Amino acid sequence: MSYDSEPPTPPTTSAPSSRRFGRGSATVAVAALVPAALAGWLVWQATSGPGDSDQPEVVPGQSQSRSVAPPADAKPSAPTTPPASPSTGAPSPSGTDKDEKPNATGPLAGKVVVVDPGHNPGNFRHTREINKLVNVGTHRKECDTTGTSTNAGYTEASFTLDVSRRLRALLEKQGATVKLVQNEDRPYGPCVDERARIGNEAKADAVVSVHADGSAVGNRGFHVILPALVKGGAADTTKIVGPSRELGTRIAGKFVQATGSAPSNYVGDGTGLDVRKDLGGLNLSTVPKVFVECGNMRDPKDAALLTNEGWRQKAAQGIADGIGSYLER
């Protein structure tokens, strides 16, 4: 993910050294691969629903993602829309105004979920527009970024749309009202401030922004980004820090169960949770919101998962299960 980051730079392909990203951000701690016991801990957390007082301490960090345009030979094709299936239904490839009506009798009936597919497949054609600075509460940052891609040219924007459409289908089947922030129905964006505003205006019970990271080879696993306590200018996350942490913790646990993937070995000190204060999409949110970095597109092993349709369905299922666990608590 390079959702709200420094100006685009080419992806790193060598082992990373300690470095800093942005002003005042913390150095990312590289953690060892998480043992099986941690996965069990996350699953237990997702099932039991810990309160704010008994959450693990997480050292704030920042992922080593990059904003990169697709390789020169990459085709900016539309993301894959998953086929219909008896278990998941068929996500509509239509725009956000034509989302299917939810099942009013499902366990999530009456709940509103906003799904934010990171970036937009058209962003790399509109670099001037997405480089425009917008107010993210405490400072100004780029409207949006291109996102990253695999070495073979599968873009993060295509990945996020595919997983988000699958996620919408799963949530709607449970009765939730689901809104996609963008569904490739606009040429670029929206900007990060508008993405936050869409969730706020929907009075969403939960907002999840779907991403994939662009870090160095050898950096593997998923992580969930939580909002830090930020108060200044138009930003005030005081009311959402606690609920967002619970939402993120439940998603992390269910993601382990559904995908079998381990939490990140390079962000979050092995917890799969990362706290950040520089993301406008979180700083400007007034409703519980998290980002899910499903894996590292620049690592060949993670890329093999992210480009696999069956794994993407599992990723959507894990996120849906986490959201459901949070909303049904």
Side-chain angles (χ1 to χ4, degrees):
M1 176 198 80
S2 299
Y3 189 95
D4 197 26
S5 61
E6 294 298 323
T9 56
T12 303
T13 57
S14 60
S17 59
S18 296
R19 61 187 71 183
R20 296 183 181 274
F21 296 85
R23 299 173 180 172
S25 60
T27 302
V28 177
V30 179
L33 185 63
V34 181
L38 175 59
W41 174 83
L42 282 171
V43 172
W44 177 85
Q45 289 284 353
T47 305
S48 61
D52 297 335
S53 61
D54 56 5
Q55 295 293 340
E57 288 295 324
V58 180
V59 178
Q62 185 168 345
S63 66
Q64 302 180 25
S65 59
R66 300 288 193 275
S67 175
V68 297
D73 58 349
K75 297 180 179 179
S77 58
T80 304
T81 301
S85 69
S87 61
T88 64
S92 169
S94 60
T96 55
D97 294 334
K98 298 181 181 179
D99 295 343
E100 298 176 5
K101 292 183 179 180
N103 171 15
T105 61
L108 300 184
K111 301 296 185 181
V112 177
V113 180
V114 171
V115 178
D116 182 1
H119 314 289
N120 182 313
N123 276 1
F124 72 93
R125 300 189 193 97
H126 296 271
T127 54
R128 180 176 62 83
E129 290 88 348
I130 67 171
N131 284 331
K132 179 185 69 174
L133 298 181
V134 298
N135 186 350
V136 297
T138 57
H139 57 290
R140 297 178 69 82
K141 297 202 77 170
E142 295 85 357
C143 160
D144 201 359
T145 63
T146 61
T148 188
S149 68
T150 66
N151 291 332
Y154 181 60
T155 65
E156 181 185 359
S158 294
F159 170 83
T160 65
L161 269 172
D162 183 76
V163 173
S164 294
R165 288 167 176 167
R166 295 170 187 272
L167 176 58
R168 177 179 64 179
L170 291 167
L171 293 171
E172 286 181 337
K173 188 175 181 181
Q174 297 182 69
T177 297
V178 183
K179 181 177 181 63
L180 293 185
V181 166
Q182 60 93 10
N183 196 10
E184 205 174 4
D185 51 354
R186 53 194 298 163
Y188 65 90
C191 296
V192 293
D193 56 339
E194 184 181 351
R195 288 174 186 265
R197 187 162 59 249
I198 290 170
N200 296 344
E201 292 177 350
K203 295 180 171 59
D205 296 289
V207 182
V208 174
S209 189
V210 180
H211 286 269
D213 207 358
S215 187
V217 174
N219 289 347
R220 297 198 61 195
F222 76 92
H223 64 277
V224 182
I225 302 175
L226 314 176
L229 179 60
V230 176
K231 191 170 184 179
D236 186 354
T237 63
T238 304
K239 294 182 179 179
I240 70 164
V241 168
S244 296
R245 175 176 284 278
E246 183 170 356
L247 171 63
T249 301
R250 289 172 180 264
I251 289 175
K254 296 298 184 181
F255 202 88
V256 169
Q257 284 183 303
T259 66
S261 293
S264 170
N265 65 0
Y266 64 102
V267 172
D269 288 342
T271 65
L273 304 175
D274 183 34
V275 178
R276 287 177 63 170
K277 62 181 180 180
D278 62 314
L279 299 179
L282 296 179
N283 291 356
L284 297 176
S285 184
T286 59
V287 294
K289 182 174 182 177
V290 299
F291 283 36
V292 181
E293 297 280 0
C294 297
N296 176 19
M297 300 196 94
R298 309 303 294 185
D299 177 82
K301 292 181 180 178
D302 267 13
L305 298 176
L306 297 167
T307 54
N308 180 278
E309 184 176 355
W311 189 90
R312 293 197 300 271
Q313 184 65 33
K314 292 178 181 179
Q317 186 69 62
I319 298 171
D321 290 346
I323 293 172
S325 174
Y326 170 78
L327 295 179
E328 293 178 53
R329 72 195 191 286

